[in-house]
Amino acid sequence: MIRESYKVLDRLRLPHGLYLASTSDHYRYVWLRDSVYMSLPYLDKADGTFEKAFHRILDLLTDYEWKLDLIVGQKPVYEWEYLHARYSSSDVREIHSEPWGHVQHDMIGAILFGIGTGESKGRQVIRSVKDLELVGKLIRYLERIEYWRDPDNGMWEEGRELHSSSIGACVAGLDAVQRLVQVPQRLIDLGREALRTLYPRESESKPADLAQLSLVYPYRLLTGERGEAIVRQVEEQLLRERGVIRYSGDSYYSVLEEEHGRGHDQAFYKGSEAEWTFGLPWLALCWLELGDRNKAMDYVRQTERAMVEPGVLPELFFAGTAEPNPNTPLGWSSAMYILAAEALERAQAGANAGD
């Protein structure tokens, strides 16, 4: 299953090092967040795959350095003015054919987290002084937009709110690059205080959200009882048979949305929300962080049962069914499965060695 999952990532990796989100016609774009998560299985591998992804992200930042400079000088007003989240697959350029929720602070945090974590693991992500300058501009970008109190579109690219998952990604990213460049401590402290204020909610409108798992893994901001409380909250409110719904009332690929179209009140969708497959290995990773290998193993096995063929996970299943949506395979799901399965193997090997 792990080997076949790597083959999925190989098929989605583009020559420049970033990833298609899926082979689906709807998802034949490069999302920076997806590329960060899809690169994580290569973090401990010295084959250059991890570095290549981040080198292309840094080259992208060079291409749009003028935009970084504008934002550092003045906070954006319109969504398109922010650093974009989605790009064309071939030349990695902004797409202006349709409006998009580009205010995604967690994407910036994820990039910084990947750069800093990669360097700490011996990956040569930073190639030059210029790369370090770009990291510094991302830090000033987060400072200028006041990420700790600037509503963003969040991980799901929807309505603008203060999202704990976005604030947490920025905190973790800023912390990760402290060993590379100077980061004002107040920027991290302001984010941590905002997280404490929101806890245990994701946002004003969402008491529980799948995106909150990122605060436990990979960002490790919530540990012990606080981390376990978030994981159990997701399990109790959002876990389903073949995946995890993103939040209560989610209309994306809702059964009712398919039948009646968009535009209904969110309460209309409760019980019909789509089940996202990467929620299962994400829960496994969180339980490994919290020290429960048995729960992690259960979720890894549940992920394998959700595969439509070895290594292939769809983005989601329609509520209560075995019918996947067209975005199959979803690279992010395959990456999370690899991370969970390999981490579980290491944990079991360590436990056996200690016996």
Side-chain angles (χ1 to χ4, degrees):
M1 295 293 190
I2 295 174
R3 182 176 63 253
E4 294 302 317
S5 297
Y6 271 114
K7 289 180 181 178
V8 170
L9 296 187
D10 289 342
R11 292 199 300 272
L12 294 173
R13 189 181 309 110
L14 295 163
H16 49 60
L18 298 179
Y19 296 82
L20 290 173
S22 174
T23 53
S24 160
D25 289 339
H26 302 293
Y27 274 15
R28 293 189 67 82
Y29 302 103
V30 167
W31 272 269
L32 296 186
R33 180 193 303 99
D34 290 52
S35 286
V36 169
Y37 274 92
M38 291 165 71
S39 72
L40 291 180
Y42 304 94
L43 180 59
D44 293 315
K45 297 174 175 61
D47 63 357
T49 302
F50 183 88
E51 292 93 328
K52 190 172 183 179
F54 281 90
H55 291 164
R56 188 60 187 89
I57 290 174
L58 287 163
D59 290 344
L60 166 69
L61 295 175
T62 299
D63 292 340
Y64 289 98
E65 189 173 9
W66 61 269
K67 176 175 279 194
L68 289 177
D69 290 337
L70 285 174
I71 293 171
V72 167
Q74 180 176 330
K75 184 175 179 176
V77 176
Y78 302 103
E79 289 184 349
W80 59 266
E81 293 180 289
Y82 286 79
L83 191 67
H84 283 203
R86 186 184 67 157
Y87 296 83
S88 60
S89 59
S90 58
D91 54 2
V92 197
R93 307 299 295 179
E94 291 183 350
I95 301 166
H96 296 285
S97 58
E98 59 182 313
W100 202 261
H102 287 299
V103 189
Q104 298 177 33
H105 305 336
D106 74 293
M107 172 194 69
I108 306 299
I111 291 170
L112 290 173
F113 177 81
I115 291 171
T117 304
E119 283 287 324
S120 72
K121 293 281 190 176
R123 307 279 73 83
Q124 294 182 344
V125 179
I126 299 298
R127 301 162 295 182
S128 63
V129 172
K130 179 63 178 179
D131 285 347
L132 285 176
E133 289 176 354
L134 291 168
V135 171
K137 288 186 178 184
L138 287 182
I139 294 167
R140 293 195 293 278
Y141 176 111
L142 292 179
E143 181 176 24
R144 171 59 67 184
I145 65 175
E146 299 181 312
Y147 79 90
W148 58 91
R149 62 181 180 185
D150 185 47
D152 80 330
N153 297 116
M155 189 176 286
W156 312 135
E157 305 182 320
E158 296 185 336
R160 288 184 70 172
E161 292 187 279
L162 278 180
H163 294 96
S164 65
S165 58
S166 293
I167 294 170
C170 295
V171 170
L174 291 168
D175 184 63
V177 296
Q178 282 194 101
R179 59 185 66 88
L180 302 176
V181 294
Q182 185 175 3
V183 179
Q185 184 61 41
R186 70 177 189 86
L187 293 185
I188 296 176
D189 293 342
L190 286 164
R192 289 189 183 278
E193 180 56 34
L195 273 181
R196 282 192 289 270
T197 301
L198 280 169
Y199 182 87
R201 303 180 68 90
E202 163 68 353
S203 66
E204 182 179 355
S205 72
K206 299 181 180 70
D209 192 299
L210 170 57
Q212 289 176 280
L213 295 184
S214 64
L215 301 174
V216 180
Y217 179 91
Y219 299 134
R220 300 180 174 91
L221 293 170
L222 298 180
T223 58
E225 292 182 359
R226 286 167 60 83
E228 184 171 335
I230 291 297
V231 174
R232 290 194 182 279
Q233 178 175 271
V234 169
E235 287 180 325
E236 291 166 5
Q237 299 184 36
L238 308 179
L239 177 62
R240 302 293 186 266
E241 181 181 355
R242 294 178 179 83
V244 181
I245 68 172
R246 297 189 300 181
Y247 54 86
S248 180
D250 183 10
S251 66
Y252 181 75
Y253 275 101
S254 158
V255 174
L256 296 178
E257 179 187 49
E258 292 299 302
E259 294 174 354
H260 302 291
R262 295 180 182 271
H264 297 281
D265 184 87
Q266 281 194 345
F268 182 76
Y269 294 104
K270 289 185 177 178
S272 69
E273 303 94 338
E275 303 170 16
W276 288 64
T277 61
F278 62 42
L280 299 173
W282 211 331
L283 282 167
L285 288 160
C286 288
W287 279 116
L288 281 172
E289 289 293 325
L290 296 169
D292 194 323
R293 285 189 294 117
N294 291 330
K295 281 186 175 293
M297 183 182 299
D298 288 343
Y299 281 118
V300 167
R301 299 296 172 255
Q302 195 172 343
T303 307
E304 292 168 351
R305 291 194 295 272
M307 291 179 177
V308 295
E309 58 183 89
V312 176
L313 287 159
E315 179 182 50
L316 54 85
F317 290 94
F318 287 95
T321 77
E323 181 185 352
N325 78 338
N327 301 327
T328 303
L330 188 77
W332 191 347
S333 292
S334 294
M336 297 303 272
Y337 168 72
I338 291 168
L339 289 164
E342 290 187 338
L344 182 61
E345 286 183 350
R346 290 193 297 269
Q348 291 174 324
N352 293 337
D355 290 341

